[in-house]
Amino acid sequence: MKKLHIKKGDTVKVISGNSKGKTGVVLEVVTDKNRAVVEGVNVVTKHVKPSATKPEGGIEKTEAAVHLSNLMLVDPASGEATRTGRKLDDKGKLQRYSKKTGEII
């Protein structure tokens, strides 16, 4: 399985597409399609038929998945979008770090 630069719970910035410039928290990562669902980004309207669980039906607004190439991790120290790298810590475990500041994320 391929390692990804984004994990669930990360704050990311959209760098291209209709939601360019927006930031949000990653709610879900779909690894087999290289996509992520980000809170408040790529909001689509979905028509829902009435059912037993939702008898009124109606129109819902939900977040759709965004391709990982359109997302960039936001560095928690500086608050800016940054590229990430991987390096071993003193225990021999791979850690993500910000290429702008060099701090471990």
Side-chain angles (χ1 to χ4, degrees):
M1 181 150 87
K2 190 174 136 185
K3 291 267 188 178
L4 303 174
H5 66 285
I6 291 173
K7 293 180 181 178
K8 182 179 176 179
D10 285 344
T11 304
V12 294
K13 183 175 184 177
V14 181
I15 57 173
S16 67
N18 290 340
S19 302
K20 182 177 180 176
K22 289 186 182 179
T23 58
V25 178
V26 176
L27 302 174
E28 178 186 359
V29 177
V30 185
T31 54
D32 56 329
K33 292 186 177 180
N34 283 343
R35 292 182 163 268
V37 177
V38 183
E39 184 178 27
V41 173
N42 197 19
V43 178
V44 295
T45 56
K46 191 174 181 183
H47 294 266
V48 179
K49 289 178 81 172
S51 64
T53 57
K54 194 166 175 96
E56 66 276 357
I59 300 171
E60 288 183 353
K61 291 191 178 266
T62 58
E63 292 96 359
V66 180
H67 199 271
L68 293 178
S69 65
N70 298 332
L71 300 175
M72 212 170 188
L73 189 68
V74 173
D75 188 9
S78 65
E80 296 179 1
T82 180
R83 293 184 301 145
T84 58
R86 296 180 186 281
K87 61 182 173 183
L88 292 170
D89 63 355
D90 53 349
K91 296 178 184 174
K93 186 176 179 186
L94 273 178
Q95 295 286 331
R96 293 184 302 167
Y97 73 96
S98 165
K99 289 200 172 182
K100 262 189 186 171
T101 60
E103 292 187 29
I104 291 180
I105 299 172

